[in-house]
Structure formats: structure tokens, C-alpha cells
């Protein structure tokens, strides 16, 4: 065990590691978001992710290297989480990185120094692996005093690290801590790399020195880079004298909560049953908290799906532990208590995270209930002891989100096994389909023409904030059907790259500009503008040609359309601010679309926005418009912008310099957002703001669609036209429409009442003949009849009529086809009839299946519905027979 002065808690270890490297000249970087900058990488999964541009030589660093503690999510091993002491979906990776500034020898020396001197780990407990032919690293460890029998050589699988099939990669050297002979498998050949828990790998030093090519060759990179990653929770376990990741302080804080909630007891070396479930809940709850607070929302694809899956697994394991109610938000609170100091974003977004978690948990509970109905039905169709087919288990998994473990558990309870192999086959086929859709890896793959262009050309200079026309723009590239071409002729559809442009490329929800590119003999209409990694593509149709690379053209944006876009974009900011003011600070933008015709704004909120709230929101926005406030745009540093209170998009990435768009006074702006879009110069230009609709786009995300200026007028005109048409149809003045409708409704109601009375009262033919047909059963008289045109609720009135018209003990069985085309049945009897043996509930129960339904009730009154109206005659005949009529 390490000495007591050494860092022991997770927080102490984190600080000690970062300080060690900062003291040695490395620049401290905060963890990047779990949403990576790299579009082809789903989730941050290694410390090196945020340094990718440095490895690629696109960015350079003055310091000798960098250090960070990175939030990571990895779910490739999701099935084994909880089954050992080493795997988790969420973990913190401590790292140091260098792009030519730190030698291999220095990196190894530091790793050894930190391990033995700062963490106080005994050298004889440390084991080192090196890549098969990496004599250099072997010799370095030897020169640092590591014994020969503490160094082993492992092959490509273990000791060569590549973030993807091509790109920077290199041999690595891993450092293991020997947990002691009594831990682990006990086999004589147990050594680093063994699957058991004895040798715990806590640090991976990757010497990123090659650049693997498509053809497999590996030329050296310009620099000998370094990328090291230490698992923080693993180090905590070591420093706290534990053998398992899950027995370290933070994880134990979560597992204890699981014990409290479920009453289950955690056993550190039990890797099945309740202990496994407790680990899974603790781990997944952390992932869920960090993912949502970084801006990921549950969905059915991409990272949203990873989140949903983790959240559902946690809930499901809660159920396995016998927890029936919602419990996950308690874990969010506990994660925040344990980790909020290191990650303030957790505390800041707690309300939002908990709102999303509880709504999702509730939905999933519903899913579990629905899946249960499907499963019970599937099981009821099986013969005794028959196996549930894999396809049914897959269907439950895929359609109902019903975890297979749960299917197995319930099926076993009913005496059936589940064809797991069949299930796995279906899963594998699905994975194959998914794989085919996913490109990319930790490095991402950018090998299309736009990657090439963004690698070789400077980013397009956007000059369109104030102007919408520009002369003298140079054509830097022309792309046709995904290939770079030198010229374009009349009639061709191409994408044109200019050095500078006034065209806004689709970004931040604002759609791309349209307009015209032209020069002497050339002209092309631009139908859209898109950005690819800073390079703007003008999607153009060449009307007069040719156009060649190097040509100089004028670029003219469709002015009117752009003005409409400016107004709608500014209105979006006003709406965002008004939503926060009326609904609360948990409102965060979850998506937006700014088009010339309208704007659409998606935001986090847990229930429908009421009509009253919508009216207040609209009023607030219009008040800002009528106050004719200037819209001010400033460029500043990101930190300065945040300090000035600018709203940053939840989960969005920003560069060092940002644009800040403010409405209102400097000291008390109504709205202040980071935004690269084009805006009105003054709120008055927006003219008028009208909300057109409010709806839901999924759990916890609401959508508002709105119109401004000309769009708002068109909307109001349309409404006015509809109102005028309504008035004319109602033959009244516009201001009389509501009263006229109310009076028509009153008349209609009166007519309906009369009709009902006619149908159910004794005066109707059907009723009269039903009463006439009453059969005398001795103890009471019985009416069995079908009465057309009645709703289920009317059958009770019909029974009242029967009772009034027939004196003495009486009972009935009546049926009708409702206006929906479904059958309705009623059976009822007076107290005397019931005393004489009539049982309404029993009769209904017996005959309802004949109309495809079920039902029951008390002896004196029972009702049923069904699916099959054609069965009414049979049902009534069965009633007669049963009652002896
Ligand atoms: N990139 C390496 C890893 O993820 C080392 O940081 O293990």
C-alpha cells in the first residue's frame, strides 16, 4: 500500500497528475466535450481526440506538450461492463501529449517518476510491456532501472495503438500494477496481458510516430509524437488498495446509493447477479449525466441512441434489483455531489439533466410494460417447455427496446428457454447493417474532395455580414459530381469555391444564400451555399459559360431573400430569450432552422407550452421589436463573451474568437448569443412576430414555428380570409362568428337530445318491438334486442325505458352498433330479477367474446364493447339460450 502522504482520493490523483506535467512545461487543457469536434467520431473516447489537429500538423503548440483529464465514453464493451473490475462506459483519462517536444526517453522517465515518486508505487510491483520489436523502449526501461523480468514484449494486438485503420499510429508501452498473487487466476503463466484482474494496466504510452497509408506502408510522421493515457479510476483503485475500478471512492459512492435504493448488497468479487447490476447502474448513470450535460439528448440514432441505451440499461437493471419506481435522478444528484467540483457543467445543467432523465425513465417504463404484453402473448402461444424463438427476443429488443436479459428472465419464469443463438444471429445481422453505415474511427475519415480542398485551400473569407454583393472574387476550385474539375460549361451543375464571398453558407440553422455569380460572358444561378470545413461551396447551375478555375467573378446574393433571413434569425434570438424568461433557465436550444419563410426553434422543455405562456412569449418578442432596439455584433475572445453572459449553444463548439450578437443595452441586453449568422440591424426590421405552432419533437424537446415581417402579415391575412369565409358560410358578420357558432352548437345539442330520446324512448319502433317481444320467464320478464343507432352510453337510457315500460321484475340484454362501427352490449336487471337468479355480469362475460370483446360488471348492471359487430346476433342468441328464453 502506498504511504499516506501520497495522493489517494480520485480528486487528489487527478490534481497530482496534472500538476506533475504542468510543472514540467506541459500546457493544461480542460477536457473537451463528449461531443467531439470530429464529425466522424461519435463520442470522445480518448485523451488524444482533441489534439488530432496537432498530430496532423494542422496546429502547432509553443509548449513542449499538453496535459489533460478527458471525459471518455466507450461502449464497444458494453456487455462485459459489471462482469469484471476494469471495464466501464464512462471513465476519466489522464494524459500527456507531445508533438515532437518530448523524447521517448523523457516520456518513460516521467511515467516512472510519477508512478514511484508521486504515487509511491513500489517499483517491484510495476510491469512494463513493449511492442515486439521495440528494442528502443525496452532499453529505455532497462536504463531506468527496470528489471528484465518485469518487461515483456507483446504483439500488435496489445502493444501497437492506432486510432483507426489509416493515419497516425505507433508502438506503445503499457504499465501494469501487480495486484498480488492472491488476486486473479492463479495460473503459473499469469502475466501482464492476462484476462484476469491480477495485472492492472493503468497507463498506456503511445509513441505516435508513423502515418499508416491505405496500402499498408508506414512512413514516419514529421514528429515523433507522444500520447499517453492513464485510467483515473484504475489509478484510484490502486491507490486505495482495491482490486476493482468499482471499489474506488467515486464508484463506491454510487454503488452505496444503489444498495440504499434497492436493498441489495454489493459484494466486491461477485461479478454476477445484484452486484453486477449495481455496477452497471453506477457506471451507466455517470455516462448519462455527463452525456446529457454535454448536450446529448436521447434519440434513436447516433450518440443519442448510445445515451438512450445506457439510460435504459440502468433502469432495467434497477428493475432486476426489484426497484419499481423511478430512481435514476437520485443517481444524477449523487454523481453531481461526487464530481461536480471537477466538472461544474454537471451542476449547471442539473435541472435539465434530471428533467430529461425522468421523462425518459418514465417512457421506458411504459416500453417495458408494452413489451411485457407482447412477450406474455408470445409465451402463451408456446407449447409447454418450448423455446422462445430468437426472432421474438430480437423483436422485443429492437421494437420495444426490451433488453434480452429481461426476456430471458421472464421466459424462464414461465418455464421457457430463449433461443439466444438465434437472437445473437439477428443482432449480428443488425450490427453488420449498422457498420455498413458508419464510417470513421477515433481519427475519422475525411477522404472526399472537400477534405482535400480544406487541406489545401485557405478557409473561404465570408464578407457578407454587411454587404450582399462582391466584385473580384476568384474561383479557387470547381467540383462536379464529387470530383474536382478545371472548368464548367453552360448547362452544368457544379459547386464553385471562391476565395471570398458574400454568400452565407448553411450554418447554425440558417439556410444558405441563393443568388448569382457572373462575369463578362459567364453567369450561374446559385441555389444554395454549403460549408465544408471552412470551405464554401456555391451550388450553381451554369447558365452561360464557361467558367474556369482562376476566373474572377462578381457574386450577388438575392437581396430580398437575405433580408427575410436576417429578420427571422434575429427573431430566433428574441424567441430564445423570451422562452428563457417565461419558461425558465432550463430552456436550451436543441436545434433551429431559419428560412426566408419562417423560423423553427427546438428547445428543451418537459411539457407542452400553454396558450397563456405562448401569448406572453409572443408579447415579449413583439415588445422588443416595437422598441426598435439596435442589434449589435461584436467579435471577442470566447472567455470574454462568456463573461459578458452570451448564451452559448448547449453542446456546441466554438473557436477562440467568436461573434456575439446582442439586442438591447450593453448593461442589460435582452438577448446576447454567440452566433455566426446574419442579422437585422435593428429589431424594428423584424416588423412583427407570430407563433404559428407549438408541438413536441420527441421526449423533452418542444418545437415552435413562427413567422415575422412579410411572413407574419401573410399568416394574418390568411387567418383573416378564413374568418371571412367562415362568416360568409355562417351568414353573419365576422364579429358575430363565435356567438353564431355557440348558438348553432346549442341547437345541435338540443336536436341530438331529441333524437336520442326518440331512439331510446318507448316511442321508437325498435324500442317498442323490443318491449313487445319481452319473454315471461316466470320470476321476471326478459327483453333481448338489438337497438340500432345507439352509442354505448345510450344503452343505459334504453334500459331505463325498458324498466319504466314494463311493470314488475324485468331484465334485459341489449346490443347496438355504435357510430364507430363497434358493438356495444348491456345486461341489466331489477333487484327482483337479480334475486330470482339473473346475473348481468356473468351474462356479459359469457357473450362478450362473441363480439370480439370482453367485459363484466355487477349482477344488476354490466357492459361490454368489442371489435366485431357482426357477432351481435350470435351474442344475443347465446344470451337467450343461457337465460332459458
Ligand atoms: N490513446 C491511447 C489510449 O486511448 C493513449 O492515450 O489508450
Amino acid at each position: 500500500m502506498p504511504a499516506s502522504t501520497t495522493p489517494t482520493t480520485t480528486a487528489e490523483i487527478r490534481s497530482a497528475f496534472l500538476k506533475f506535467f504542468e510543472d514540467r512545461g506541459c500546457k493544461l487543457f480542460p477536457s473537451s466535450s463528449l461531443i467531439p469536434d470530429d464529425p466522424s467520431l461519435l463520442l470522445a473516447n480518448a485523451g488524444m481526440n482533441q489534439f488530432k489537429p496537432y498530430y496532423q500538423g494542422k496546429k502547432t503548440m509553443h509548449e513542449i506538450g499538453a496535459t489533460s483529464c478527458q471525459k471518455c465514453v466507450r461502449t464497444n464493451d458494453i456487455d462485459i461492463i459489471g462482469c469484471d473490475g476494469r471495464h466501464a462506459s464512462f471513465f476519466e483519462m489522464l494524459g500527456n501529449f507531445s508533438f515532437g517536444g518530448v523524447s521517448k526517453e523523457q516520456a518513460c522517465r516521467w511515467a516512472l517518476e510519477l508512478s514511484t515518486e508521486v504515487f509511491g508505487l513500489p517499483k517491484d510491483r510495476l510491469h512494463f510491456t513493449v511492442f515486439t520489436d521495440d528494442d528502443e523502449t525496452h532499453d529505455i526501461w532497462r536504463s531506468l532501472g527496470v528489471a528484465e523480468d518485469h518487461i515483456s514484449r507483446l504483439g500488435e494486438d496489445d502493444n501497437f495503438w492506432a486510432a483507426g485503420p489509416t493515419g497516425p499510429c505507433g508502438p506503445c508501452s503499457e504499465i501494469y500494477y501487480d495486484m498480488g498473487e492472491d488476486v486473479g487466476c492463479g495460473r503459473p503463466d499469469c502475466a501482464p496481458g492476462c484476462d484476469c484482474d491480477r495485472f492492472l494496466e493503468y497507463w498506456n504510452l503511445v509513441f505516435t510516430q508513423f502515418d499508416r497509408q491505405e496500402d499498408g506502408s508506414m512512413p514516419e510522421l514529421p514528429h515523433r509524437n507522444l500520447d499517453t493515457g492513464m485510467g483515473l479510476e484504475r489509478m484510484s483503485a490502486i491507490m486505495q488498495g482495491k482490486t476493482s475500478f468499482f471499489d474506488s471512492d467515486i464508484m463506491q459512492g454510487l454503488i452505496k446509493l444503489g444498495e440504499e435504493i434497492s436493498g441489495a448488497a454489493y459484494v466486491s468479487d461477485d461479478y454476477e447477479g445484484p452486484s453486477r447490476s449495481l455496477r452497471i447502474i453506477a457506471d451507466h448513470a455517470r455516462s448519462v449525466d455527463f452525456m446529457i450535460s454535454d448536450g446529448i439528448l436521447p434519440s434513436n440514432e447516433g450518440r443519442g441512441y448510445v445515451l438512450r441505451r445506457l439510460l435504459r440499461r440502468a433502469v432495467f437493471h434497477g428493475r432486476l434489483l426489484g426497484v419499481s419506481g423511478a430512481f435514476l435522478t437520485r443517481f444524477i444528484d449523487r454523481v453531481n455531489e461526487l464530481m461536480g467540483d471537477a466538472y461544474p457543467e454537471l451542476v449547471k445543467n442539473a435541472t435539465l439533466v434530471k428533467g430529461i432523465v425522468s421523462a425518459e425513465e418514465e417512457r421506458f417504463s411504459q416500453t417495458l410494460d408494452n413489451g411485457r404484453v407482447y412477450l406474455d402473448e408470445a409465451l402463451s402461444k408456446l407449447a409447454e417447455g418450448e423455446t422462445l424463438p430468437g426472432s421474438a427476443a430480437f423483436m422485443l429488443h429492437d421494437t420495444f427496446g426490451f433488453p434480452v436479459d429481461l426476456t430471458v428472465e421472464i421466459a424462464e419464469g414461465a418455464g421457457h428457454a430463449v433461443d439466444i443463438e438465434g437472437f445473437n444471429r439477428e443482432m449480428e445481422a443488425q450490427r453488420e447493417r449498422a457498420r455498413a453505415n458508419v464510417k470513421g474511427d477515433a481519427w475519422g475519415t475525411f477522404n472526399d474532395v472537400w477534405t482535400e480542398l480544406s487541406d489545401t485551400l485557405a478557409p473561404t473569407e465570408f464578407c457578407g455580414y454587411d454587404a450582399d454583393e462582391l466584385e473580384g472574387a476568384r474561383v479557387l476550385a470547381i467540383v462536379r459530381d464529387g470530383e474536382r474539375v478545371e472548368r464548367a460549361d453552360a448547362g452544368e451543375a457544379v459547386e464553385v469555391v471562391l476565395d471570398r464571398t458574400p454568400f452565407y453558407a448553411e450554418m447554425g440553422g440558417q439556410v444558405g444564400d441563393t443568388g448569382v455569380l457572373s462575369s463578362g460572358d459567364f453567369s450561374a444561378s446559385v441555389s444554395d451555399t454549403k460549408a465544408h470545413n471552412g470551405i464554401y461551396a456555391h451550388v450553381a447551375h451554369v447558365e452561360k459559360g464557361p467558367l474556369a478555375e482562376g476566373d474572377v467573378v462578381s457574386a450577388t446574393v438575392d437581396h430580398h431573400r437575405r433580408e427575410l433571413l436576417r429578420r427571422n434569425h434575429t427573431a430566433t434570438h428574441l424567441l430564445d430569450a423570451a422562452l428563457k424568461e417565461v419558461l425558465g433557465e432550463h430552456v436550451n436550444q436543441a436545434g433551429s432552422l431559419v428560412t426566408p419563410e419562417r423560423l423553427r426553434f427546438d428547445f428543451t422543455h418537459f411539457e407542452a407550452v400553454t396558450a397563456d405562456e405562448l401569448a406572453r412569449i409572443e408579447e415579449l418578442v413583439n415588445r422588443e421589436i416595437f422598441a426598435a432596439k439596435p442589434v449589435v455584433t461584436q467579435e471577442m475572445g470566447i472567455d470574454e463573451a462568456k463573461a459578458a453572459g452570451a448564451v452559448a449553444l448547449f453542446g456546441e463548439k466554438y473557436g477562440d474568437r467568436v461573434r456575439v450578437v446582442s439586442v438591447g443595452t450593453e448593461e442589460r441586453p435582452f438577448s446576447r448569443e454567440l452566433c455566426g449568422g446574419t442579422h437585422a440591424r435593428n429589431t424594428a426590421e423584424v416588423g412583427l412576430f407570430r407563433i404559428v405552432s407549438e408541438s413536441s419533437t420527441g421526449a423533452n424537446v418542444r418545437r415552435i414555428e413562427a413567422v415575422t415581417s412579410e411572413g407574419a402579415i401573410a399568416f394574418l391575412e390568411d387567418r383573416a380570409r378564413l374568418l371571412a369565409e367562415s362568416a360568409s358560410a355562417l351568414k353573419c358578420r365576422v364579429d358575430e362568428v363565435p356567438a353564431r357558432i355557440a348558438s348553432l352548437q346549442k341547437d345541435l345539442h338540443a336536436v341530438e337530445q331529441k333524437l336520442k330520446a326518440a331512439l331510446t324512448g318507448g316511442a321508437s319502433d325498435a324500442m317498442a318491438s323490443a318491449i313487445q317481444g319481452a319473454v315471461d320467464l316466470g320470476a321476471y320478464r326478459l327483453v333481448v334486442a338489438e337497438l340500432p343507432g345507439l352509442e354505448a352510453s345510450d344503452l343505459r337510457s334504453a334500459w331505463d325505458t325498458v324498466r319504466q315500460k314494463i311493470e314488475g321484475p324485468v331484465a334485459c340484454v341489449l346490443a347496438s352498433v355504435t357510430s364507430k362501427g363497434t358493438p356495444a352490449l348491456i345486461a341489466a336487471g331489477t333487484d327482483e330479477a337479480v334475486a330470482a337468479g339473473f346475473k348481468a355480469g356473468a351474462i356479459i362475460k359469457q357473450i362478450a367474446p362473441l363480439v370480439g370483446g370482453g367485459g363484466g360488471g355487477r349482477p344488476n348492471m354490466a357492459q361490454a364493447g368489442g371489435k366485431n359487430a357482426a357477432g351481435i346476433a350470435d351474442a344475443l342468441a347465446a344470451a337467450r339460450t343461457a337465460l332459458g328464453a
Side-chain angles (χ1 to χ4, degrees):
M1 266 284 282
S4 60
T5 51
T6 51
T8 311
T9 64
T10 296
E12 287 164 0
I13 295 168
R14 199 189 287 116
S15 316
F17 182 100
L18 298 174
K19 180 171 184 313
F20 180 90
F21 286 105
E22 269 195 283
D23 286 350
R24 281 155 187 75
C26 293
K27 181 176 172 192
L28 175 66
F29 279 71
S31 170
S32 70
S33 162
L34 281 171
I35 304 176
D37 261 335
D38 182 341
S40 63
L41 177 59
L42 207 55
L43 289 156
N45 63 4
M48 48 76 55
N49 294 153
Q50 67 166 312
F51 300 106
K52 181 174 165 179
Y54 295 96
Y55 288 103
Q56 292 177 321
K58 288 187 178 166
K59 272 190 176 178
T60 46
M61 194 174 278
H62 302 301
E63 292 79 2
I64 61 162
T67 185
S68 71
C69 179
Q70 175 67 43
K71 308 178 259 196
C72 296
V73 169
R74 287 187 188 175
T75 51
N76 39 349
D77 289 327
I78 192 165
D79 296 333
I80 55 170
I81 293 171
C83 303
D84 66 18
R86 305 185 304 269
H87 288 90
S89 65
F90 178 87
F91 58 95
E92 294 176 72
M93 188 183 282
L94 292 163
N96 68 303
F97 313 89
S98 171
F99 319 99
V102 174
S103 70
K104 221 178 199 184
E105 202 265 348
Q106 183 65 276
C108 294
R109 185 181 292 279
W110 280 346
L112 196 60
E113 187 186 339
L114 182 63
S115 298
T116 57
E117 287 170 32
V118 179
F119 293 129
L121 302 178
K123 211 171 185 173
D124 60 1
R125 286 243 177 161
L126 304 185
H127 289 254
F128 302 77
T129 60
V130 298
F131 184 51
T132 328
D133 60 8
D134 187 3
D135 295 335
E136 187 189 354
T137 311
H138 169 271
D139 295 347
I140 291 173
W141 290 127
R142 290 291 287 137
S143 75
L144 295 173
V146 174
E148 184 63 48
D149 62 357
H150 278 229
I151 306 176
S152 40
R153 291 174 187 262
L154 293 178
E156 179 135 3
D157 280 354
D158 292 286
N159 276 76
F160 196 91
W161 206 86
T166 57
C169 56
C172 62
S173 179
E174 294 178 327
I175 313 181
Y176 288 73
Y177 185 73
D178 182 357
M179 294 287 195
E181 266 179 49
D182 47 335
V183 178
C185 62
R187 283 199 302 265
D189 60 348
C190 180
C194 177
D195 271 349
C196 78
D197 282 343
R198 173 167 172 187
F199 294 98
L200 182 66
E201 180 231 319
Y202 67 90
W203 206 343
N204 184 13
L205 280 53
V206 185
F207 308 112
T208 322
Q209 63 199 65
F210 301 117
D211 191 8
R212 191 182 268 152
Q213 307 293 305
E214 295 273 344
D215 63 7
S217 62
M218 296 206 296
E220 295 251 351
L221 282 166
H223 300 301
R224 294 190 111 204
N225 303 298
L226 174 68
D227 155 26
T228 90
M230 175 193 280
L232 175 55
E233 293 82 352
R234 291 185 178 190
M235 197 54 174
S236 297
I238 295 172
M239 299 307 290
Q240 291 159 24
K242 310 288 185 198
T243 46
S244 158
F245 176 110
F246 292 95
D247 294 347
S248 61
D249 50 0
I250 290 182
M251 297 317 288
Q252 274 301 301
L254 294 168
I255 286 176
K256 290 233 158 57
L257 176 64
E259 288 185 308
E260 261 168 53
I261 293 176
S262 67
Y266 174 73
V267 181
S268 173
D269 56 3
D270 182 356
Y271 288 111
E272 283 166 11
S275 297
R276 174 170 176 244
S277 292
L278 287 167
R279 281 187 205 97
I280 289 175
I281 297 171
D283 167 69
H284 290 11
R286 278 211 311 175
S287 289
V288 165
D289 194 4
F290 275 90
M291 289 171 85
I292 303 179
S293 66
D294 270 356
I296 302 171
L297 295 172
S299 79
N300 281 336
E301 55 186 22
R303 49 181 83 93
Y305 181 64
V306 175
L307 167 63
R308 175 163 280 168
R309 188 149 174 241
L310 289 164
L311 194 151
R312 291 180 162 200
R313 280 188 105 230
V315 173
F316 159 60
H317 278 274
R319 287 224 176 172
L320 279 186
L321 290 176
V323 182
S324 50
F327 65 93
L328 258 192
T329 55
R330 291 182 63 187
F331 275 90
I332 303 300
D333 283 331
R334 183 64 63 90
V335 173
N336 295 354
E337 274 161 43
L338 293 164
M339 305 188 73
D341 283 347
Y343 298 97
E345 65 270 29
L346 297 179
V347 180
K348 184 167 158 255
N349 298 318
T351 317
L352 175 71
V353 174
K354 288 201 286 180
I356 289 171
V357 165
S358 51
E360 186 72 14
E361 188 173 10
E362 194 179 308
R363 263 164 63 113
F364 182 53
S365 301
Q366 197 105 50
T367 299
L368 284 176
D369 294 341
N370 294 342
R372 184 69 202 239
V373 171
Y374 174 88
L375 177 56
D376 286 346
E377 204 171 306
L379 290 173
S380 73
K381 289 194 188 126
L382 298 180
E384 212 180 306
E386 195 184 337
T387 299
L388 183 78
S391 55
F394 179 74
M395 167 83 175
L396 277 159
H397 166 89
D398 203 44
T399 309
F400 295 98
F402 207 70
V404 71
D405 319 22
L406 188 63
T407 303
V408 170
E409 178 148 316
I410 295 170
E412 279 175 355
H416 300 278
V418 177
D419 174 12
I420 291 293
E421 271 178 28
F423 170 80
N424 287 339
R425 271 197 304 278
E426 303 249 9
M427 286 295 285
E428 193 43 44
Q430 194 199 41
R431 271 189 213 116
E432 280 300 324
R433 289 194 294 275
R435 253 180 238 134
N437 292 331
V438 176
K439 52 172 193 162
D441 38 55
W443 287 99
T445 13
F446 302 98
N447 47 14
D448 62 4
V449 62
W450 296 107
T451 314
E452 266 167 56
L453 290 175
S454 67
D455 279 351
T456 48
L457 301 179
T460 308
E461 190 188 332
F462 176 63
C463 324
Y465 283 122
D466 301 314
D468 30 19
E469 247 181 270
L470 177 80
E471 309 251 320
R474 185 169 295 279
V475 177
L476 298 185
I478 304 172
V479 173
R480 193 180 57 218
D481 296 331
E483 306 272 343
R484 190 164 178 181
V485 292
E486 271 168 21
R487 52 176 269 165
D489 292 312
E492 287 185 342
V494 288
E495 288 163 274
V496 180
V497 178
L498 303 175
D499 58 348
R500 301 176 295 141
T501 184
F503 282 74
Y504 183 81
E506 178 173 350
M507 239 179 301
Q510 180 177 332
V511 298
D513 278 331
T514 64
V516 177
L517 301 180
S518 61
S519 66
D521 280 337
F522 154 80
S523 85
S525 59
V526 176
S527 60
D528 197 0
T529 312
K530 295 181 168 153
H532 302 276
N533 230 351
I535 304 290
Y536 285 25
H538 301 78
V539 180
H541 182 262
V542 182
E543 268 140 27
K544 280 194 287 173
L547 176 72
E549 208 175 288
D551 283 359
V552 171
V553 298
S554 301
T556 313
V557 172
D558 178 335
H559 173 76
H560 180 61
R561 184 174 175 277
R562 164 67 87 76
E563 285 302 306
L564 295 173
L565 283 165
R566 286 179 188 277
R567 295 171 197 161
N568 280 346
H569 203 150
T570 300
T572 308
H573 286 209
L574 297 176
L575 172 61
D576 188 8
L579 284 167
K580 287 194 169 73
E581 195 160 321
V582 173
L583 304 178
E585 284 298 318
H586 63 276
V587 166
N588 267 299
Q589 177 169 342
S592 78
L593 178 69
V594 177
T595 72
E597 296 79 27
R598 71 201 162 101
L599 62 98
R600 192 174 83 194
F601 191 73
D602 295 347
F603 56 99
T604 47
H605 187 55
F606 316 117
E607 57 199 5
V609 185
T610 65
D612 183 44
E613 287 164 340
L614 287 174
R616 273 159 57 210
I617 291 160
E618 212 170 55
E619 192 191 320
L620 262 178
V621 173
N622 279 320
R623 198 192 295 163
E624 293 301 304
I625 294 171
F626 302 152
K629 292 185 178 170
V631 180
V632 182
T633 307
Q634 291 157 292
E635 246 202 40
M636 57 179 88
I638 179 80
D639 295 333
E640 197 189 337
K642 287 194 174 157
V647 174
L649 277 195
F650 192 50
E652 186 78 10
K653 295 285 168 22
Y654 295 96
D656 296 338
R657 301 284 305 165
V658 291
R659 293 183 90 240
V660 176
V661 178
S662 313
V663 174
T665 59
E666 184 58 33
E667 310 75 53
R668 294 203 52 212
F670 176 74
S671 149
R672 173 166 285 168
E673 287 194 26
L674 301 184
C675 178
T678 60
H679 284 271
R681 284 126 300 218
N682 186 295
T683 58
E685 290 172 28
V686 182
L688 183 64
F689 173 82
R690 284 295 305 208
I691 293 175
V692 174
S693 70
E694 193 274 344
S695 59
S696 151
T697 67
N700 319 304
V701 179
R702 308 295 307 177
R703 168 170 292 177
I704 283 184
E705 296 195 285
V707 285
T708 75
S709 65
E710 292 167 28
I713 291 171
F715 174 76
L716 293 176
E717 273 175 355
D718 195 46
R719 289 292 150 112
R721 184 184 52 74
L722 286 174
L723 190 58
E725 279 174 20
S726 309
S728 134
L730 292 165
K731 299 197 185 4
C732 66
R733 291 196 319 260
V734 160
D735 58 352
E736 289 168 349
V737 166
R740 183 91 182 97
I741 291 175
S743 114
L744 283 175
Q745 274 173 335
K746 210 167 136 206
D747 293 351
L748 184 64
H749 185 68
V751 172
E752 276 172 357
Q753 290 303 105
K754 275 189 199 149
L755 180 66
K756 200 183 279 182
L759 289 172
T760 59
S764 94
D765 287 352
M767 203 63 210
S769 69
I771 288 167
Q772 233 162 34
V775 183
D776 193 347
L777 295 181
Y780 61 93
R781 303 222 284 158
L782 176 70
V783 175
V784 178
E786 179 177 350
L787 301 171
L790 300 195
E791 301 303 322
S793 57
D794 299 333
L795 286 174
R796 278 175 185 256
S797 318
W799 160 236
D800 288 339
T801 308
V802 170
R803 251 205 317 212
Q804 278 160 24
K805 298 274 172 191
I806 298 180
E807 273 177 33
V810 61
C812 76
V813 179
L814 304 175
S816 175
V817 184
T818 69
S819 55
K820 291 199 192 87
T822 54
L825 298 173
I826 190 172
T830 59
D831 292 346
E832 301 97 313
V834 171
F838 176 81
K839 289 197 188 72
I843 279 291
I844 285 294
K845 203 164 170 198
Q846 187 182 340
I847 66 172
L850 296 168
V851 295
R858 289 164 292 138
N860 62 343
M861 167 69 71
Q863 280 188 280
K867 294 190 208 86
N868 172 25
I872 285 183
D874 288 348
L876 294 182
R880 279 196 194 92
T881 315
L883 295 166

